[in-house]
Amino acid sequence: MSVALDKRQTTVRNHKTGREENVSSLHPIFKEELHFVAYQPPPLESSDTAAYEEWLERMTFIENDLQWLLRLQYDSFWCQAVFDGTLQNCLDSYLRFAPRSYDGVEHLPETGREKQQTVHRLVFMVCVRMATYKESKDCFMTPAVFGDILYENFLFDIPKIMDLCVLYGAGNGQLLSKMIGNIFTHQRKYEDDLRATVPTVLQVFDNILDQCGLGSDQLTMEPHRLEEQLPGTDLVNMPLSQLQDIVTYLGDTSATLNAFLEIYPSGCHAFHEEGFLVRLTSFYERIFSEMRTAIKERPWPTDSSKQSIRKKLNQGRHHFVKLFRQILHVCCLQPVIEQSATGHDVEGYIEDFISVMSASLSERRFLAAYEEKYPAQDDLDILTQTSYTIDETRLSFISQGIASAVEAYGKKQHRVDSSSSQETEGQASFGDDDSGQQRSPPDGSEHQPGYMAQAGACAAKISGVEMDSLISSVRDLLPDLGEGFIELCLEEFLYDVEKVINAVLEDKLPPSLTDLDRTLPREPAPVPHSSSVLDERQNVFDNDEFDVFRRDKIDTTKVYKGKREKNPLGTEVLDDKSTRQSLKPLFDLYGSVDADSIYDKSLYSDAMYEDEYDDTYDSNAIGAEDADSADELSARRQFVTPRILRGTTREQEDDSDEAEDEEHEYKRDQFIQDPAVLREQAAQRRASQAGSRRNFDVKGQGKGKGQGEEVLRNRTWKEKNKGLKANHNRRALADRKRGK
């Protein structure tokens, strides 16, 4: 019987004492003395020949060492993996610095790309082998010990697992999912480490905000003075290398988290329990708008560097939205879909979804980006189809908030007057940047991130007298501005007069307002349609041809007052005999009376059918179809008494009955058949009957040997139906006899 690796003992000689000792097969003395070199990323410039040759030589060493490692036996491989620190450094350096799928190595020569791909595959094979505790029936270890070895020797940890997901998740998702699930299954401590990782990720978000000058200590609801340095301007004056590092770090972090949760969806619960979704939306709202503004306003050495950093920023935005959707779907929507079908209670999951969406309504830019990729109405429809009763007011509140966010920060086109239509034609609103991605205005409110949380996505629109009052307040200080331009500015700044005035004076208007004519007049308010009772009326005759409330013209020829006179058209047609003359020749051709006209009443009366006429023999065409001679046709038929006049005798009836019985009587063979033939026929009949008869075996095997299912089934059937045959139905037959 095979023994697990952790329980095997191997006899070795102690060089100090000279005696043989039994040691575990998983021992440091079995480790080979081999130094694995650490991985380094490929050079950015392939023109540097020396750096490229050095990197290529290093990759060759790593390739040869990993191939040697994979060829080792099961016990030797695990001794090397557990006790060789240089191997762990090699694998860890590759997982940290290897190019991601969105980085690319197209700048390397063909030889370098092939070498990178080979090492990439070998590292994955080594990690897969380390995550497998049983390779065959002889090569295995105890699952509990396997989990302790992984955890205690740091063969895998949460950062390594996340790096594996982002490196190999795109092409080996199914195998990687099974591998990571195996690790978390056999060592539950990794779940605790994952929960401890979530606060670290949130702290990383806070550090990024502090570096960008957007930390919580720098947010204030008070308006800033003109001479004060507004928070967020550090991004414009920040060194280019630092800005690139922040953007790259944002993209890598979001891509890594997203890849990990796609491969291991169960990890979403750890993030959801720590309130990660609300913090994620807040971080998105505060960082990406400032980043886009800084990228547009700061000077760049080349356009290619600007486009590269903008592309990475857009990738980060995409991954953050996708990360929010992944966690929300796994923790809230998927349990509702699965458990509602089985009848389980889904109240907790629905309340979590509504709570998260309600808390995110203040992050309007995030909601606009989320709605563009994942319409929230589809999720709300899923919730309403469950058996749990949801307050429609809460769902309506979420829907209106998202719609308001999309209207404010989604992709749209502001209205312009005819004088400036040619100048602004083809220019997108602030929702689209130069690369076609959504962007937000670098307005004064952008430099006060806490301000947006007051109104949120559910800020009510102002119109009528209130709008006139706000426009008048702005024109008191800036009389040269048009009312239409002021109205658009108020909508952009959530109807805050002070912020509109500050933005105009500081020239901090968003691009969508900068390009407009500042003397733009205000569009006249639409005349409200007067409602009446007729507009609310519902009738089966609505919109028909006589609906005077909705039709201006009606065909009056179809309208008749009073009773209509009887139409004499029917009687006139019946009294008109003019067609009789035209039909007379036709009836003459088919007439059966030898007369000038079938309308001759005297002849017509003679040809009428007589009820007393005996037509018994008229239907028989005697001799009409036989090829008889003329004499036979002319001769009279012998008189036959009609059947109705003939009487019947008892003898004739008896004779007819006997004749019928003789016809149906079986004609017996009067000859004696061969007895051997008769016996053979009887044997064949018995064999056919025995083959069609079902064999009910109720005897079975001997006592103590057990009975099969068929025997037990036959015994049960016999017990239930034993009254159908033999003498078991004597009482029923006796009752039947007495009843006769």
Side-chain angles (χ1 to χ4, degrees):
M1 183 176 179
S2 301
V3 181
L5 177 62
D6 55 284
K7 297 180 180 180
R8 295 180 191 173
Q9 297 291 328
T10 304
T11 303
V12 296
R13 181 178 296 275
N14 192 334
H15 297 287
K16 295 182 179 180
T17 61
R19 297 180 180 179
E20 293 184 351
E21 298 178 355
N22 292 330
V23 297
S24 175
S25 297
L26 197 62
H27 198 273
I29 62 176
F30 300 111
K31 177 180 71 69
E32 297 290 339
E33 296 298 332
L34 182 68
H35 182 78
F36 290 84
V37 297
Y39 173 83
Q40 290 183 359
L44 298 178
E45 299 293 338
S46 59
S47 58
D48 191 353
T49 308
Y52 173 72
E53 293 295 338
E54 179 184 358
W55 176 81
L56 196 62
E57 184 179 6
R58 181 181 292 269
M59 296 293 290
T60 304
F61 289 151
I62 296 176
E63 178 184 358
N64 296 333
D65 294 342
L66 293 181
Q67 288 178 351
W68 170 84
L69 179 65
L70 291 172
R71 286 194 296 265
L72 293 178
Q73 296 295 329
Y74 183 75
D75 52 352
S76 301
F77 171 82
W78 275 102
C79 290
Q80 202 73 27
V82 173
F83 303 111
D84 193 347
T86 60
L87 173 60
Q88 297 303 321
N89 293 334
C90 176
L91 298 177
D92 183 66
S93 61
Y94 184 83
L95 296 178
R96 289 174 58 191
F97 302 114
R100 273 42 178 172
S101 58
Y102 47 83
D103 292 335
V105 290
E106 290 78 8
H107 62 282
L108 293 177
E110 183 67 23
T111 306
R113 291 197 298 268
E114 292 179 357
K115 190 69 66 175
Q116 172 68 31
Q117 187 66 23
T118 302
V119 174
H120 186 77
R121 181 177 57 85
L122 292 174
V123 171
F124 182 66
M125 294 176 64
V126 171
C127 294
V128 170
R129 190 174 185 183
M130 286 195 304
T132 306
Y133 74 93
K134 183 178 181 180
E135 294 184 358
S136 64
K137 63 179 181 179
D138 298 327
C139 301
F140 66 96
M141 66 175 63
T142 307
V145 177
F146 166 75
D148 294 338
I149 290 176
L150 294 183
Y151 191 80
E152 299 298 337
N153 296 278
F154 298 96
L155 299 185
F156 290 102
D157 52 27
I158 299 301
K160 286 184 180 180
I161 294 175
M162 289 184 176
D163 290 335
L164 282 171
C165 293
V166 74
L167 283 173
Y168 301 100
N172 303 275
Q174 186 175 1
L175 179 59
L176 191 61
S177 177
K178 182 178 180 181
M179 165 185 163
I180 295 177
N182 191 32
I183 295 174
F184 278 89
T185 300
H186 294 95
Q187 183 51 266
R188 308 305 296 180
K189 293 182 181 180
Y190 284 111
E191 294 284 353
D192 300 334
D193 291 350
L194 180 60
R195 288 183 172 84
T197 305
V198 179
T200 305
V201 176
L202 297 176
Q203 184 62 40
V204 169
F205 291 167
D206 294 337
N207 294 339
I208 294 176
L209 291 175
D210 293 338
Q211 293 181 14
C212 298
L214 302 173
S216 57
D217 55 339
Q218 303 183 28
L219 300 181
T220 177
M221 301 301 297
E222 299 294 333
H224 293 271
R225 296 183 179 180
L226 297 179
E227 64 272 11
E228 291 182 358
Q229 183 182 11
L230 297 178
T233 54
D234 291 340
L235 288 173
V236 180
N237 302 323
M238 181 183 296
L240 179 59
S241 59
Q242 185 179 357
L243 179 63
Q244 291 177 341
D245 290 342
I246 293 176
V247 174
T248 304
Y249 189 74
L250 276 176
D252 290 343
T253 303
S254 59
T256 302
L257 293 176
N258 188 52
F260 170 71
L261 294 182
E262 285 184 350
I263 297 298
Y264 186 65
S266 299
C268 295
H269 298 282
F271 285 83
H272 182 62
E273 292 171 1
E274 297 292 334
F276 183 80
L277 292 179
V278 179
R279 295 286 298 275
L280 175 65
T281 56
S282 176
F283 176 78
Y284 181 99
E285 188 79 8
R286 293 157 62 181
I287 192 65
F288 283 104
S289 59
E290 291 293 335
M291 282 287 185
R292 286 193 295 268
T293 304
I295 291 174
K296 183 176 181 180
E297 293 183 355
R298 68 176 296 127
W300 292 88
T302 59
D303 291 338
S304 60
S305 59
K306 179 179 180 180
Q307 294 298 331
S308 176
I309 198 80
R310 178 179 291 171
K311 180 180 178 181
K312 291 183 179 180
L313 186 65
N314 291 331
Q315 289 176 351
R317 291 178 55 255
H318 169 73
H319 288 305
F320 270 105
V321 174
K322 192 174 181 181
L323 178 63
F324 180 89
R325 174 63 181 184
Q326 177 72 12
I327 299 176
L328 186 67
H329 178 76
V330 173
C331 298
C332 299
L333 295 177
Q334 187 173 350
V336 171
I337 298 174
E338 294 176 353
Q339 298 190 15
S340 60
T342 59
H344 291 78
D345 188 16
V346 296
E347 177 181 357
Y349 303 108
I350 295 178
E351 292 296 333
D352 285 348
F353 177 86
I354 296 177
S355 177
V356 170
M357 296 303 296
S358 300
S360 303
L361 289 179
S362 59
E363 321 302 343
R364 309 182 72 190
R365 292 178 180 83
F366 175 82
L367 287 180
Y370 179 81
E371 179 69 14
E372 181 181 351
K373 297 182 179 296
Y374 308 102
Q377 187 60 39
D378 298 342
D379 300 339
L380 298 180
D381 292 341
I382 294 176
L383 302 184
T384 55
Q385 293 174 5
T386 61
S387 58
Y388 178 66
T389 304
I390 308 175
D391 188 4
E392 294 294 335
T393 306
R394 304 174 68 185
L395 299 182
S396 177
F397 177 74
I398 295 175
S399 301
Q400 293 177 4
I402 295 176
S404 177
V406 172
E407 183 179 359
Y409 294 101
K411 294 183 178 181
K412 64 181 182 179
Q413 183 77 24
H414 282 295
R415 55 182 175 85
V416 295
D417 61 345
S418 59
S419 61
S420 60
S421 60
Q422 297 180 355
E423 298 176 359
T424 60
E425 183 178 2
Q427 293 180 348
S429 65
F430 64 84
D432 298 329
D433 59 12
D434 299 338
S435 61
Q437 299 293 333
Q438 185 179 356
R439 73 182 184 199
S440 58
D443 48 43
S445 62
E446 290 291 333
H447 301 294
Q448 300 175 9
Y451 148 78
M452 196 60 69
Q454 282 185 329
C458 298
K461 288 187 172 296
I462 298 177
S463 60
V465 179
E466 297 183 29
M467 178 61 73
D468 296 338
S469 177
L470 295 177
I471 293 176
S472 176
S473 300
V474 177
R475 294 202 66 184
D476 290 341
L477 296 177
L478 303 171
D480 56 329
L481 299 180
E483 293 185 357
F485 179 78
I486 297 176
E487 182 179 2
L488 292 177
C489 292
L490 289 172
E491 291 179 359
E492 191 66 37
F493 290 95
L494 297 179
Y495 310 102
D496 193 327
V497 176
E498 295 182 0
K499 295 190 178 297
V500 170
I501 296 174
N502 291 337
V504 174
L505 294 177
E506 298 173 4
D507 198 14
K508 293 292 185 179
L509 294 174
S512 57
L513 298 177
T514 305
D515 299 333
L516 296 179
D517 183 11
R518 298 203 173 192
T519 62
L520 181 67
R522 187 181 181 186
E523 291 184 355
V527 179
H529 178 68
S530 58
S531 59
S532 61
V533 180
L534 295 177
D535 295 334
E536 301 177 358
R537 185 196 70 163
Q538 294 181 355
N539 195 284
V540 293
F541 301 106
D542 288 345
N543 299 318
D544 63 1
E545 57 180 345
F546 298 111
D547 190 357
V548 296
F549 300 106
R550 292 177 174 83
R551 291 181 178 270
D552 297 333
K553 296 182 179 180
I554 296 178
D555 188 4
T556 56
T557 58
K558 297 182 179 181
V559 180
Y560 188 84
K561 294 182 179 181
K563 295 184 179 180
R564 294 180 180 271
E565 296 181 0
K566 293 183 179 180
N567 187 6
L569 182 60
T571 56
E572 291 179 356
V573 173
L574 294 177
D575 296 339
D576 186 9
K577 305 299 182 181
S578 59
T579 58
R580 183 178 297 178
Q581 297 298 329
S582 61
L583 296 177
K584 182 179 179 181
L586 180 62
F587 284 104
D588 291 343
L589 295 176
Y590 293 97
S592 60
V593 181
D594 188 10
D596 294 338
S597 175
I598 63 174
Y599 297 103
D600 192 344
K601 295 184 178 181
S602 60
L603 296 177
Y604 183 74
S605 61
D606 296 340
M608 290 182 64
Y609 179 76
E610 184 179 357
D611 293 340
E612 301 299 332
Y613 177 73
D614 186 10
D615 56 354
T616 304
Y617 308 102
D618 290 352
S619 60
N620 298 327
I622 304 300
E625 299 179 357
D626 298 337
D628 297 334
S629 62
D631 296 339
E632 293 177 354
L633 294 175
S634 61
R636 292 180 60 85
R637 187 184 62 169
Q638 185 180 2
F639 176 77
V640 179
T641 305
R643 182 180 301 176
I644 193 64
L645 300 178
R646 289 184 296 179
T648 59
T649 61
R650 183 67 180 175
E651 296 178 356
Q652 294 177 349
E653 293 179 358
D654 295 341
D655 294 342
S656 61
D657 294 341
E658 292 178 359
E660 292 179 358
D661 294 341
E662 290 179 358
E663 291 179 358
H664 295 288
E665 186 178 2
Y666 176 73
K667 295 180 180 180
R668 299 180 179 179
D669 192 359
Q670 300 299 329
F671 296 94
I672 301 175
Q673 296 185 4
D674 188 2
V677 176
L678 295 177
R679 287 194 295 272
E680 183 179 358
Q681 293 177 355
Q684 292 178 357
R685 287 195 299 271
R686 288 193 298 272
S688 61
Q689 294 176 359
S692 60
R693 187 184 303 112
R694 181 181 175 183
N695 184 18
F696 292 94
D697 182 16
V698 296
K699 184 177 181 180
Q701 300 180 3
K703 185 176 182 181
K705 296 183 179 181
Q707 305 299 333
E709 295 182 0
E710 186 68 22
V711 175
L712 297 177
R713 191 183 304 109
N714 293 338
R715 289 179 178 179
T716 304
W717 186 90
K718 181 179 179 181
E719 180 68 22
K720 291 182 179 180
N721 301 277
K722 63 183 180 181
L724 299 179
K725 56 184 179 180
N727 290 328
H728 295 286
N729 58 345
R730 291 193 297 266
R731 180 176 298 177
L733 294 178
D735 294 341
R736 181 180 178 184
K737 184 177 180 180
R738 284 193 298 268
K740 289 184 177 180

